[in-house]
Amino acid sequence: MTTDDSTTTTVYTDDDADASYIDGKTVAVLGYGSQGHAHAQNLADSGVDVVVGLREDSSSRAAAEADGLPVETPRDAAETADIVSVLVPDTVQPAVYEEIAPALEPGDTLQFAHGFNVHYNQIRPAEGVDVTMIAPKSPGHIVRRNYERGEGTPGLLAVYRNATGEATQEALAYAHAIGCTRAGVVETTFREETETDLFGEQAVLCGGVTSLIKQGYETLVDAGYSPEMAYFECMNEMKLIVDLMYEGGLGEMWDSVSDTAEYGGLTRGDEIVDEHARENMEEVLEAVQDGTFAREWITENQAGRPSYDQLRQAETAHDIEAVGEELRGLFAWADDEPTEQEEDATPPQADD
Ligand code: NAD
Ligand code: MG
């Protein structure tokens, strides 16, 4: 275990995990999608008893059985389990929880990979049940692939309720069994994980980046430049820049671009994403913190996702999508040597 003095963040590794806290226990993995298939197989390969919980009519049943795992209904799986790992989509977790709640006994553990439902009280676990989170910071197929290669996937650990007094040790043993402690597991809370995750995907990653790309593209096209050039400059090159930052931070990116690009970027970047954007970010964060976003999203789902469907359609219809599809189709060379992302772009069927 290492503690970063500047932030007092605790990072757990293999040495901190004691497998005896999970040995002899049965884990019910509910859901066999991105995270579910990876947790279930890694746990089983680590010698943990695993039963997969899926609905009778689930299209994932065949995959779990083909992987040699026993499959039961979520309720029956929870009945036999000591640890119930809830890995169905966040929007269906409350309904699945109602189904399995009677099977949970004091001393059992409810284990999550994201804190949304517990943090926003959509799931209220019964007293006496430990509530923990091990959240790998990667899609499931990477969690599985890293494990098979003897490597680890970084993850987060949080304990919402420690009824038994052993919740942290058991969560660490779980993290060890899926390979996360090989890389490092950062201690956090359900609140921090949920709020930073939602903020990041809304303001910076999924929301912020796509808006930046579209606004840049539209600015060039509206000024009379060709859509193809606008696509290359504002969308295609994004990956090259992000890859450099991923590898070596902002510094490696600035070192790799021309001095002209560096000077232009350093002087103009803050003019684009300015204090107004910063205020908007603070508002987005506030809506995450006070539950406004969560309520909106829950209501949207209850209503059958009318706005969501509309927004998705509008995004698909944006010019940049047609231009991009055409240009990517022309890159025959791009097929010769698939990037790592492309190699990985085949997660298991997860759409039931
Ligand atoms: P997913 O959508 O890939 O898989 C969900 C699985 O749940 C399906 O394959 C199916 O087996 C089952 N399922 C689907 N609909 C169902 C229904 N109506 N009733 C019962 N079962 C149903 O989900 P995921 O992305 O693996 O997410 C699982 C959890 O992991 C979520 O809490 C998510 O936030 C978290 N998480 C995901 C990732 C990721 O990269 N995918 C990363 C970290 C944490
Ligand atoms: Mg039980």
Side-chain angles (χ1 to χ4, degrees):
M1 178 166 81
T2 56
T3 301
D4 173 349
D5 288 337
S6 58
T7 58
T8 68
T9 300
T10 301
V11 182
Y12 298 103
T13 54
D14 277 347
D15 290 342
D16 302 305
D18 179 350
S20 71
Y21 282 97
I22 202 168
D23 283 346
K25 291 180 180 167
T26 299
V27 180
V29 174
L30 308 186
Y32 206 71
S34 178
Q35 291 295 322
H37 91 285
H39 291 223
Q41 292 186 75
N42 291 5
L43 286 161
D45 287 352
S46 294
V48 178
D49 279 331
V50 173
V51 48
V52 176
L54 292 169
R55 291 164 303 161
E56 300 280 7
D57 62 350
S58 169
S59 66
S60 304
R61 279 196 166 234
E65 281 162 2
D67 291 333
L69 296 165
V71 182
E72 293 174 14
T73 63
R75 172 67 192 264
D76 289 345
E79 205 75 65
T80 49
D82 307 289
I83 301 170
V84 179
S85 198
V86 185
L87 300 175
V88 296
D90 296 300
T91 48
V92 309
Q93 286 182 11
V96 171
Y97 177 72
E98 290 309 312
E99 199 184 319
I100 62 150
L104 294 172
E105 294 154 23
D108 284 351
T109 299
L110 258 187
Q111 148 65 35
F112 292 88
H114 179 38
F116 187 96
N117 287 297
V118 169
H119 178 59
Y120 292 117
N121 297 314
Q122 299 307 295
I123 291 177
R124 297 173 191 270
E127 294 296 322
V129 171
D130 284 350
V131 183
T132 61
M133 171 172 22
I134 293 297
K137 294 307 283 175
S138 275
H141 63 287
I142 307 278
V143 176
R144 178 60 183 155
R145 195 189 60 188
N146 287 347
Y147 180 92
E148 288 182 297
R149 290 181 178 175
E151 293 162 8
T153 305
L156 305 176
L157 175 150
V159 174
Y160 180 80
R161 187 188 295 135
N162 192 351
T164 62
E166 297 182 350
T168 306
Q169 291 93 324
E170 191 191 72
L172 270 173
Y174 183 102
H176 181 258
I178 65 170
C180 286
T181 51
R182 292 175 185 170
V185 173
V186 177
E187 184 154 35
T188 182
T189 62
F190 272 61
R191 172 174 181 262
E192 184 179 55
E193 185 275 337
T194 304
E195 293 179 355
T196 56
D197 185 71
L198 293 176
F199 173 80
E201 64 202 18
Q202 291 172 23
V204 180
L205 308 172
C206 312
V209 166
T210 51
S211 279
L212 189 68
I213 289 173
K214 286 183 288 185
Q215 299 280 348
Y217 173 89
E218 288 168 22
T219 301
L220 286 177
V221 172
D222 288 354
Y225 297 98
S226 84
E228 289 77 10
M229 289 298 289
Y231 171 83
F232 274 121
E233 286 304 323
C234 299
M235 179 111 122
N236 187 65
E237 289 193 28
M238 178 68 77
K239 175 171 163 40
L240 311 176
I241 296 300
V242 170
D243 280 352
L244 291 166
M245 294 191 288
Y246 183 84
E247 278 167 27
L250 301 175
E252 180 163 325
M253 188 279 289
W254 290 127
D255 284 349
S256 303
V257 300
S258 70
D259 289 355
T260 312
E262 185 174 11
Y263 177 76
L266 288 170
T267 54
R268 301 306 196 270
D270 291 350
E271 285 181 18
I272 300 298
V273 185
D274 60 2
E275 64 279 8
H276 182 64
R278 172 60 180 264
E279 281 161 26
N280 291 340
M281 284 189 182
E282 283 163 7
E283 274 176 34
V284 163
L285 180 58
E286 228 174 271
V288 165
Q289 289 171 330
D290 69 14
T292 304
F293 173 78
R295 275 192 298 280
E296 178 186 321
W297 177 224
I298 291 159
T299 310
E300 175 68 13
N301 276 286
Q302 285 164 350
R305 303 184 161 191
S307 312
Y308 184 32
D309 288 343
Q310 225 168 35
L311 290 164
R312 278 176 142 177
Q313 267 167 27
E315 187 81 343
T316 310
H318 194 286
D319 286 350
I320 199 170
E321 288 292 83
V323 173
E325 199 177 338
E326 196 185 322
L327 286 176
R328 289 191 300 271
L330 296 175
F331 300 158
W333 50 266
D335 294 335
D336 295 345
E337 222 179 304
T339 62
E340 200 161 48
Q341 273 90 340
E342 283 163 349
E343 274 177 19
D344 291 337
T346 45
Q349 188 60 30
D351 59 352
D352 62 342

